[in-house]
Amino acid sequence: MTQRPKGDLPGLAPPRPIPLKDRASLVFVERARLDVADGAFVAVNADGTRTQIPVGGLAGIMLEPGARISHAAVALAARVGTLITWIGEGGVRLYSAGQPGGARSDRLLWQARIALDDSARLRVVRKMYAMRFGEDAPQRRSIDQLRGIEGVRVRESYALLAARYGVEWKRRRYDPTDWEAADLPNRCLSAATACLHGLTEAAVLAAGYAPAIGFLHTGKPLSFVYDIADLYKLETVVPEAFRIAGQAAKGKLDMAPDRAVRLACRDAFRKSGLLGRIIPAIEEALEAGDLLRPDPPPEAMPVAFKAPGSGDPGHRG
């Protein structure tokens, strides 16, 4: 292990943060208190039992209703670059999120410059279409028209997956204020997309970009998160949601469907290596805007961990 330089405090140097691509995806916590005990991140249940959580090896922790978190736990999560997100039941509603790393001003300015240039923004949207569907977007189409074309293709994919897994499917419909109002397939889809959005937001923030500055999606706190998550939605979480919904309809599940969906999404993320693909995909999409990235200003705060390979772009502790 690395020793501290001379003149510094005695003992071992603090551990380097784990790069986002090498982390596990998400942990959901409900009806428990998150705290730090003996230097470790723990979840304390109502009966006093403790469960240690390897917070430094996670991309994000999603807190559901009934969860509470201490100041020490939030501070530790920030130091290791793990996103803390407060969500509604099943992840249908996002209330707030902490920032795991300081956004880089050069990346924010680049992202905003592309979003404000109509031609550059269209080029990025066309690139995202190609990345998502594996083919070039139709020529001479506006962003609104491409959004409509994507919507049709997604609805067709939902219908095909529902038929494959024997799920009775009508349409995508849910009420963020009432989890139980949605039917089983919609609840499974909501739980699945919550997993993907949480993972994607952690990557967007760790790379130094703004979740709200989107290109295809606009006007939402997580517009850019939705843009990037949609690149992988049909490949990863949507098939798992319909598969679990089909099993639940046939009485083949031994756990709640939303829990089964989360476990399936976790395995899908690991199998596809999704965390290692998101940040390069962000760069690839934005480079299609064909606008030069500004250099960081001289007075900009540097990345906190300077050692090569210590973390992700923009990662701060």
Side-chain angles (χ1 to χ4, degrees), residues 62-316:
M62 306 192 81
L63 304 183
E64 292 190 273
R68 294 190 293 176
I69 187 167
S70 70
H71 181 280
V74 172
L76 178 58
R79 283 199 299 273
V80 299
T82 296
L83 180 70
I84 301 293
T85 305
W86 288 259
I87 61 174
E89 185 176 3
V92 173
R93 172 174 289 188
L94 169 71
Y95 295 110
S96 183
Q99 186 167 326
R104 288 278 299 275
S105 63
D106 54 321
R107 291 184 171 90
L108 285 174
L109 291 171
W110 186 43
Q111 180 186 6
R113 181 180 295 175
I114 297 170
L116 292 171
D117 185 304
D118 290 341
S119 297
R121 180 185 168 204
L122 178 57
R123 289 193 292 270
V124 170
V125 170
R126 291 181 58 83
K127 179 63 176 179
M128 289 178 173
Y129 184 102
M131 294 170 69
R132 185 175 189 182
F133 297 115
E135 61 186 56
D136 291 338
Q139 296 294 327
R140 295 185 294 277
R141 297 294 194 277
S142 68
I143 290 177
D144 286 340
Q145 289 171 326
L146 290 175
R147 186 184 296 115
I149 293 170
E150 287 201 15
V152 170
R153 296 189 65 158
V154 170
R155 288 193 291 273
E156 290 175 349
S157 297
Y158 283 179
L160 289 172
L161 287 167
R164 178 189 301 176
Y165 293 110
V167 174
E168 183 179 349
W169 176 252
K170 297 177 182 178
R171 61 190 177 95
R172 184 75 171 110
R173 182 179 181 181
Y174 64 94
D175 181 357
T177 64
D178 189 353
W179 170 253
E180 296 296 335
D183 58 20
L184 177 62
N186 272 289
R187 292 201 301 272
C188 288
L189 275 172
S190 294
T193 53
C195 293
L196 181 58
H197 290 163
L199 191 70
T200 306
E201 185 179 6
V204 167
L205 289 170
Y209 295 99
I213 303 177
F215 297 86
L216 187 65
H217 296 84
T218 58
K220 302 290 185 182
L222 296 180
S223 291
F224 192 49
V225 172
Y226 301 152
D227 281 350
I228 300 302
D230 279 355
L231 301 179
Y232 305 102
K233 182 183 292 185
L234 295 178
E235 169 194 344
T236 56
V237 300
V238 172
E240 295 301 323
F242 278 106
R243 182 178 66 83
I244 297 299
Q247 290 182 346
K250 298 170 186 175
K252 295 183 178 180
L253 286 183
D254 57 358
M255 64 182 72
D258 56 338
R259 173 172 167 76
V261 166
R262 292 170 188 165
L263 294 176
C265 289
R266 178 199 64 188
D267 294 340
F269 295 154
R270 183 184 298 115
K271 183 178 179 180
S272 63
L274 186 57
L275 270 173
R277 298 162 58 194
I278 292 177
I279 292 178
I282 294 172
E283 303 285 335
E284 182 181 354
L286 293 182
E287 285 172 356
D290 201 23
L291 295 181
L292 291 177
R293 186 188 319 209
D295 294 327
E299 66 274 15
M301 292 184 65
V303 175
F305 301 99
K306 298 180 181 180
S310 65
D312 299 286
H315 190 125
R316 298 192 59 78

